[in-house]
Amino acid sequence: MLEMTREEFEELVAEALDRIPPELTRLMDNVAVFVEDEPPAEDPDLLGLYEGTPLTDRGEWYAGVLPDRITVYRNPTLRMCETREDVVAETEVTVVHDTPSYTPSGDLRPVG
């Protein structure tokens, strides 16, 4: 497993967010991104989780609500990556995976 402090990982998540194309970041309205060490025990390979109201379900009532949440899980990401660059790339994929549609499925798994 790649070793990295929580602070270092959070910096790489920020770097990955900066690399997301502008056309996708525009879709990230009222969304906050968090880092947690481990996913729920019943799903240890989960890399990320979207929780909130999908864009397709938002209506006139959608005002003054708390931000939707994307959580990136540090340890599963570090277990599957070999380099810091892999972490940035995988985190970018994890966040972008759900951004365009905000689908209600929510869980973000390794792609490919």
Side-chain angles (χ1 to χ4, degrees):
M1 181 167 120
L2 184 63
E3 295 292 326
M4 184 177 300
T5 67
R6 173 118 179 199
E7 184 177 88
E8 290 173 309
F9 186 81
E10 289 174 351
E11 288 174 17
L12 294 183
V13 169
E15 185 178 324
L17 290 171
D18 289 343
R19 290 176 33 174
I20 295 173
E23 60 272 12
L24 295 181
T25 57
R26 284 193 291 275
L27 296 174
M28 294 180 70
D29 182 43
N30 199 34
V31 176
V33 177
F34 296 89
V35 171
E36 297 289 338
D37 288 335
E38 292 289 347
E42 65 273 4
D43 207 349
D45 295 328
L46 195 65
L47 299 181
L49 181 65
Y50 169 78
E51 300 170 283
T53 305
L55 290 174
T56 55
D57 292 348
R58 295 180 185 181
E60 293 178 15
W61 59 269
Y62 190 82
V65 298
L66 291 174
D68 292 355
R69 179 181 179 117
I70 295 175
T71 305
V72 178
Y73 296 108
R74 180 173 75 101
N75 290 335
T77 303
L78 294 177
R79 284 192 288 268
M80 71 174 291
C81 294
E82 294 181 14
T83 67
R84 295 173 64 82
E85 293 77 22
D86 291 345
V87 171
V88 172
E90 189 58 50
T91 301
E92 183 179 357
V93 168
T94 299
V95 173
V96 169
H97 180 262
D98 223 30
T99 300
S101 62
Y102 288 74
T103 57
S105 64
D107 60 337
L108 307 172
R109 300 180 183 284
V111 177

